[in-house]
Amino acid sequence: MKRRAFLGALGLSPLLKGLPPLLKGLPPLKITDLKAVNADGYIFYRLYTNGGVTGVGEPSPSNGPLNVTFAEMLKPLILGMDAFRIEEIWQKLYIGLYKTRGQSASMAISGVDIALHDVVGKALGVPVSTLLGGAVRDRIRMYASYTSRDRAPVEQAKLCAADIQNGFTAAKIKIAARHGFDADPKYPDHDMVREVRSAIGPKPEFMVDANSGYSVPHAIQIGRMLEKYDVFWFEEPVPFTDYAATARVNAALDLFIAGGEQDHTRYDFQKMIEAGAVDMVQADVTKAGGVSECKKIAAMADAAGLGYTPHDTSHNIGLAACLHMVASTPVCRYSQEFIREPGGKRILKTPLVPEKGFITLPTGPGLGIEIDPRFGE
């Protein structure tokens, strides 16, 4: 007996009117187009289907205009495919780009993967977090993250202190000279760390990011200084490509070592975890392969007894995707990144901003966000 006849026999036919299209037995949602939208320099993806459901995704802005090129490369691979078959589409994209495989390609795949989750969530009338297993937390604790290395220590300390007073419970700053290989930063590391810790007090979690700035001996030396100020984690202390070197630093220090924003797919993270390089995994949903891949990476981190707090510098679609993943992933039990630098493109109709250090998980269908009408539909 067909489903509709069966439900009719049970007297449940009226309930069909409220069911999403998929559950009514309608045809699959076939992908009809993929477009890269340039919103005043910020590029995001729109994924169209024959059912009238459209999804949005963010490939990391690190790709710049390459995200447009990748959209044209990816579109022929997915046209006509069923948007509900997310895993099959991911595999096709990954294999289809094998000649250009690398983080840049993974950023583009991330944008499509996020858009697919948005489409499926909207089609089913549920949030992306529900697709990922359901939320284990409805409010996500955020940390105030600063990316500038140009502020004087006292100035940076004041900004961090203001964030703590406004409800954040953790803050992260930059130290070292990015990829400087022991080059002197603009301001001494010790001065920067001392001033910030003094300003925020002993209780808040305090993290530092070196962006691969040190050699192993210097990183260990700096790490011992950081331990004196009760720094929670030391991010990318040495060149991120060298897992063995990062593992040597990790073995020598007691504070957490974090890393992973430059890595992509479960295959990179398998090597990182096996090397014992980090205590805190930081796979980025807009870089590492999207929500699908980051859920797998999170499971690997969990099984290895590690923490997972995604790298995230987006205020837009990427942030929304990150919130859904964090909300549905128990191992994401620490605070999550929220960039506090002024400026940056905002394209959401209703911005996602912390209130007293927390962001409430969007509960609308899909990602639960709307793009500002200025940037089309």
Side-chain angles (χ1 to χ4, degrees):
M1 182 181 292
K2 292 186 177 180
R3 169 180 286 183
R4 187 172 296 275
F6 176 71
L7 292 176
L10 294 177
L12 299 178
S13 294
L15 297 179
L16 287 170
K17 295 180 180 180
L19 291 178
L22 178 71
L23 300 183
K24 290 182 179 180
L26 295 178
L29 283 175
K30 291 186 178 181
I31 297 170
T32 58
D33 202 2
L34 173 68
K35 292 182 180 180
V37 181
N38 192 328
D40 298 335
Y42 172 89
I43 297 169
F44 66 95
Y45 288 168
R46 272 202 175 98
L47 188 77
Y48 298 86
T49 68
N50 66 344
V53 183
T54 302
V56 293
E58 179 178 338
S60 172
S62 299
N63 260 353
L66 275 178
N67 281 324
V68 178
T69 302
F70 271 112
E72 293 303 312
M73 295 172 65
L74 295 174
K75 181 164 65 173
L77 297 174
I78 62 176
L79 287 179
M81 294 190 72
D82 181 0
F84 284 96
R85 302 175 72 115
I86 296 175
E87 284 289 339
E88 181 182 6
I89 292 171
W90 196 98
Q91 291 296 324
K92 187 170 184 179
L93 294 178
Y94 182 73
I95 294 169
L97 291 183
Y98 78 101
K99 290 291 186 181
T100 55
R101 191 172 296 165
Q103 192 174 50
S104 197
S106 291
M107 291 175 187
I109 293 173
S110 298
V112 174
D113 183 82
I114 292 168
L116 286 168
H117 280 83
D118 192 32
V119 163
V120 173
K122 288 174 178 175
L124 295 176
V126 299
V128 166
S129 56
T130 299
L131 302 179
L132 301 177
V136 296
R137 52 182 71 87
D138 299 312
R139 296 171 69 242
I140 292 89
R141 185 166 69 99
M142 313 300 292
Y143 68 82
S145 181
Y146 286 89
T147 59
S148 175
R149 286 180 163 82
D150 293 330
R151 295 188 186 92
V154 172
E155 181 185 0
Q156 183 61 71
K158 288 180 180 179
L159 292 173
C160 290
D163 282 329
I164 298 302
Q165 291 171 2
N166 288 328
F168 282 96
T169 56
K172 185 175 80 176
I173 63 168
K174 300 287 188 179
I175 60 171
R178 185 176 182 179
H179 296 289
F181 211 75
D182 292 341
D184 291 331
K186 184 173 182 179
Y187 299 101
D189 293 325
H190 182 268
D191 292 354
M192 187 69 75
V193 173
R194 181 192 66 240
E195 292 297 330
V196 172
R197 176 50 88 188
S198 176
I200 66 175
K203 187 175 180 180
E205 292 168 354
F206 178 25
M207 295 82 83
V208 302
D209 183 1
N211 283 125
S212 302
Y214 304 118
S215 63
V216 170
H218 196 183
I220 293 172
Q221 182 183 37
I222 293 293
R224 288 173 179 152
M225 179 271 290
L226 298 177
E227 288 174 344
K228 295 178 181 178
Y229 289 96
D230 196 23
V231 167
F232 185 50
W233 82 54
F234 188 4
E235 189 171 327
E236 279 191 1
V238 295
F240 65 87
T241 52
D242 194 339
Y243 299 146
T246 309
R248 288 168 59 194
V249 176
N250 197 5
L253 299 173
D254 291 328
L255 78 174
F256 282 15
I257 300 298
E261 69 175 89
Q262 311 287 359
D263 300 276
H264 59 100
T265 76
R266 74 203 82 157
Y267 308 113
D268 270 3
F269 285 91
Q270 179 186 23
K271 297 171 187 174
M272 175 189 291
I273 291 170
E274 288 179 346
V278 299
D279 306 293
M280 193 71 69
V281 172
Q282 295 180 297
D284 187 318
V285 295
T286 71
K287 292 182 175 183
V291 177
S292 298
E293 197 67 0
C294 284
K295 284 292 285 188
K296 296 178 177 69
I297 293 165
M300 294 165 63
D302 199 4
L306 307 178
Y308 181 25
T309 176
H311 173 269
D312 177 44
T313 57
S314 171
H315 287 109
N316 300 296
I317 301 166
L319 173 57
C322 185
L323 293 174
H324 283 281
M325 198 204 69
V326 167
S328 62
T329 309
V331 73
C332 298
R333 56 188 175 272
Y334 299 100
S335 59
Q336 308 300 319
E337 186 166 28
F338 187 81
I339 297 297
R340 295 291 290 152
E341 301 294 356
K345 177 59 63 179
R346 300 317 205 258
I347 70 161
L348 300 185
K349 185 177 179 180
T350 303
L352 295 167
V353 294
E355 293 185 10
K356 296 184 178 180
F358 286 81
I359 295 183
T360 300
L361 176 69
T363 56
L367 293 172
I369 57 174
E370 293 183 64
I371 304 299
D372 191 301
R374 292 179 299 149
F375 305 114
E377 295 181 359

